[in-house]
Amino acid sequence: MNRNTSKILFEKAQNIIPGGVNSPVRAFRAVGGNPIFMKSAKGAFLKDVDGNSYIDLIGSWGPMILGHAHTEIEEAILKAVIDSTSFGTPSAREVEMAELIVSMVPCVEKVRMVNSGTEACMAAIRAARGFTGRNKIIKFEGCYHGHGDSFLIAAGSGMATFGEPDSMGVTQGVANDTLTVSYNNITELKNIINLNKNQVACIIIEPVVGNMGCVLPQKGFLNELRLICDKENIVLIFDEVMTGFRLSKGGAQELFGVTPDMCTMGKIIGGGLPVGAYGGKAEIMNCVSPLGKVYQAGTLSGNPVAMAAGLAMLNHLNTHPEIYVNLENITNKIATQIKLGGQKAGLDVQINQIGSMYSVFFTDKPVYDFNSAKTSNLTYFSQYFNTMLDLGVYLAPSQFESLFISNCVNEEIANEIIEKSSLAMQSIK
Ligand code: KE4
């Protein structure tokens, strides 16, 4: 494939944008080579600046569940934009969006719109701290909740020790209030809560993880979390930025039947435009300014054009629940056949899949937390990624990301993904 224009653009970009990208994972550092600059997309396909076409298995990291350039979303945006792009005042669409979220998402009694998943997660833990009067938060190793300081924390060296900053610029002071435990490990969680009795404001978790690659909660794990939070008066926050409106119209909390006290949302909620949201029990959300004393604000929060796109997206999903059944079936077929292709190639392959999310791990061990995810052979993953790219299938350029199937992936496209995956597996050495 000729990718010269991408190469030229990347060389220019690196002189004026850190790493040449506006978000690190796009830089292809985990898989080698130069990132590909996209020019357009339609349905299940991306087209790069050199005219090459790719089946898209990222969907803009989650938002494009209906595929690219969906007519209803595009028409909603075009209609909204002629009435100006922003007012900085309340607007009717914000009320409509809040009503729709409250009707779709089990835990949400009140909701506040923001502009990204990061903002939503930062605000949610601040509200939990304000509501409980406690300082510490608990997160799980390998889960990602955006680039807020409190989340860029590695697990402390010992169970009782504080977290350690996982990024330059994050202070030990911030790290001292973030405790990190292993995903799917209730014992570790109970121990760290007992060592920090009555100090933990909230537990924040990806109810299905996308940021270790796709990792599922083990049977009963989320239910245990709920019971522990009830007993300890800890706010349970589901970070559904990725799983919200993805795994069902009510997200993971609806699919698993476990209702958190709060949840954060993003990606799909904006129909591809920059939107995040956080919401939950009214008694917690009533702490948020201007009603309460937890301050949070945003110039473009509830932006009318973004709300129009998000409303078109959510209304379509809300009125077409069959989409989730179709996505589960076709993604399960893809995942099952990809695993078979790996086995035929003589490789140890684990596939984690739920709904339209899945990940391929090159390991003989089941992947149920970050340590087991890290047993995947990253050299094999990189070879797999680059061969698939050359075959015209665009995967997330990192082992520790989930892939997403859109509603535009039909049987023919699914078979093409399976066939090309088998070829890519055969080429691994
Ligand atoms: P944003 O600030 O990127 O909108 O959302 C942060 C966030 C919060 N919570 C979860 C579960 C998330 O997955 C994310 C963002 N996801 C990454 C992909 N793993 C976005 C891609 C990127 O960083 O470029």
Side-chain angles (χ1 to χ4, degrees), residues 197-245:
K197 209 71 179 161
N198 301 322
Q199 298 175 60
V200 178
C202 62
I203 293 173
I204 185 167
I205 187 167
E206 291 184 65
V208 168
V209 187
N211 289 288
M212 304 181 209
C214 180
V215 170
L216 279 60
Q218 289 173 336
K219 188 170 171 46
F221 177 62
L222 297 177
N223 307 78
E224 274 283 323
L225 273 184
R226 179 67 276 169
L227 293 174
I228 291 169
C229 286
D230 287 343
K231 179 170 170 286
E232 302 286 345
N233 296 311
I234 294 173
V235 175
L236 178 57
I237 303 173
F238 277 8
D239 176 352
E240 297 227 43
V241 167
M242 197 178 269
T243 55
F245 316 108

Side-chain angles (χ1 to χ4, degrees), residues 23 25-26 61 116-118 121 144-146 206 211 239 241-242 267 401:
S23 199
V25 71
R26 302 178 191 170
W61 304 92
S116 69
T118 294
C121 293
Y144 177 69
H145 306 293
E206 291 184 65
N211 289 288
D239 176 352
V241 167
M242 197 178 269
K267 297 181 190 277
E401 294 289 351

Side-chain angles (χ1 to χ4, degrees), residues 178-325:
T178 298
L179 305 168
T180 304
V181 294
S182 303
Y183 198 78
N184 277 318
N185 192 322
I186 286 294
T187 306
E188 258 191 50
L189 176 66
K190 285 180 177 175
N191 288 343
I192 211 155
I193 289 173
N194 288 335
L195 289 166
N196 295 273
K197 209 71 179 161
N198 301 322
Q199 298 175 60
V200 178
C202 62
I203 293 173
I204 185 167
I205 187 167
E206 291 184 65
V208 168
V209 187
N211 289 288
M212 304 181 209
C214 180
V215 170
L216 279 60
Q218 289 173 336
K219 188 170 171 46
F221 177 62
L222 297 177
N223 307 78
E224 274 283 323
L225 273 184
R226 179 67 276 169
L227 293 174
I228 291 169
C229 286
D230 287 343
K231 179 170 170 286
E232 302 286 345
N233 296 311
I234 294 173
V235 175
L236 178 57
I237 303 173
F238 277 8
D239 176 352
E240 297 227 43
V241 167
M242 197 178 269
T243 55
F245 316 108
R246 164 66 59 181
L247 295 182
S248 81
K249 63 190 184 66
Q253 59 193 276
E254 178 178 274
L255 187 69
F256 287 92
V258 175
T259 304
D261 300 304
M262 299 179 77
C263 72
T264 56
M265 296 158 275
K267 297 181 190 277
I268 288 171
I269 196 173
L273 295 192
V275 178
Y278 67 104
K281 284 180 177 168
E283 61 178 334
I284 302 174
M285 294 303 291
N286 287 343
C287 296
V288 176
S289 171
L291 187 59
K293 297 191 181 314
V294 174
Y295 193 72
Q296 179 269 313
T299 302
L300 297 174
S301 298
N303 173 274
V305 180
M307 291 298 99
L311 282 166
M313 169 70 89
L314 297 195
N315 276 314
H316 187 94
L317 294 171
N318 200 28
T319 53
H320 295 80
E322 72 282 359
I323 286 174
Y324 294 103
V325 177

Side-chain angles (χ1 to χ4, degrees), residues 123-181:
I125 64 168
R126 187 182 304 143
R129 284 171 163 153
F131 176 70
T132 59
R134 298 177 179 179
N135 295 337
K136 289 183 169 23
I137 71 165
I138 294 177
K139 70 178 290 290
F140 293 82
E141 203 172 17
C143 286
Y144 177 69
H145 306 293
H147 63 85
D149 282 6
S150 294
F151 307 122
L152 302 180
I153 309 294
S157 49
M159 178 56 68
T161 56
F162 301 124
E164 291 155 10
D166 204 15
S167 161
M168 293 295 286
V170 173
T171 68
Q172 187 58 48
V174 167
N176 290 350
D177 283 333
T178 298
L179 305 168
T180 304
V181 294

Side-chain angles (χ1 to χ4, degrees), residues 45-63:
F45 295 90
L46 293 163
K47 186 164 281 184
D48 72 16
V49 289
D50 290 290
N52 302 304
S53 178
Y54 306 86
I55 297 173
D56 181 12
L57 297 189
I58 301 192
S60 182
W61 304 92

